Amino acid sequence: MPRYLSIVHIDESTAPAQGPSEELMRRMGELIEEVTKAGVMLETAGLTPAAQGTTVRWQGGNLSVTDGPFTESKEVIGGYAIMQCKDKAEAIEWSKRFVKVHEDYWTVSCEVREIAEA
């Protein structure tokens, strides 16, 4: 059965400075419990703010290492989920449910990609 990576992109300017609300965390916990019981969720996690990240880049034969914050980025990767689904449509459906647990003031999207098997 194929595995899918759902990359969570968030606009940090719309995220509350104090972090997700208790209500959001409750709804998120319920969804994660449901997707885990369905045998779909293999792993998921949120990430620390982009300001705490570092970019390691290889370009034109040169290596650079840059610490955040990355002001040129509007959306950043806020988390991920690895799911094992029967097809891409199922992975997209779970990702839709994930973004819908957020309050209206959040800007969040998921990029769903199948994990290539060797």
Side-chain angles (χ1 to χ4, degrees):
M1 190 176 304
R3 295 179 302 148
Y4 294 89
L5 175 64
S6 183
I7 305 165
V8 181
H9 297 264
I10 63 168
D11 180 344
E12 289 184 321
S13 70
T14 65
Q18 69 276 13
S21 68
E22 288 184 28
E23 181 61 21
L24 170 57
M25 294 310 293
R26 183 191 61 74
R27 290 191 305 267
M28 188 75 66
E30 290 173 356
L31 178 61
I32 290 172
E33 183 177 338
E34 183 181 349
V35 71
T36 300
K37 284 182 178 175
V40 170
M41 182 65 72
L42 301 178
E43 182 178 335
T44 187
L47 301 176
T48 57
Q52 299 173 20
T54 299
T55 298
V56 179
R57 181 182 310 271
W58 178 256
Q59 183 177 20
N62 295 307
L63 179 70
S64 64
V65 179
T66 308
D67 289 330
F70 309 104
T71 55
E72 69 279 0
S73 299
K74 182 175 180 184
E75 288 189 342
V76 299
I77 298 175
Y80 69 93
I82 298 175
M83 301 177 284
Q84 192 163 31
C85 302
K86 66 180 184 227
D87 55 27
K88 187 174 182 180
E90 182 182 15
I92 291 171
E93 188 59 35
W94 284 111
S95 295
K96 285 178 174 178
R97 292 188 57 189
F98 169 79
V99 297
K100 288 171 67 176
V101 301
H102 292 77
E103 290 93 354
D104 292 346
Y105 52 82
W106 283 83
T107 300
V108 57
S109 62
C110 289
E111 178 183 344
V112 178
R113 310 257 309 262
E114 185 172 348
I115 297 173
E117 301 295 336

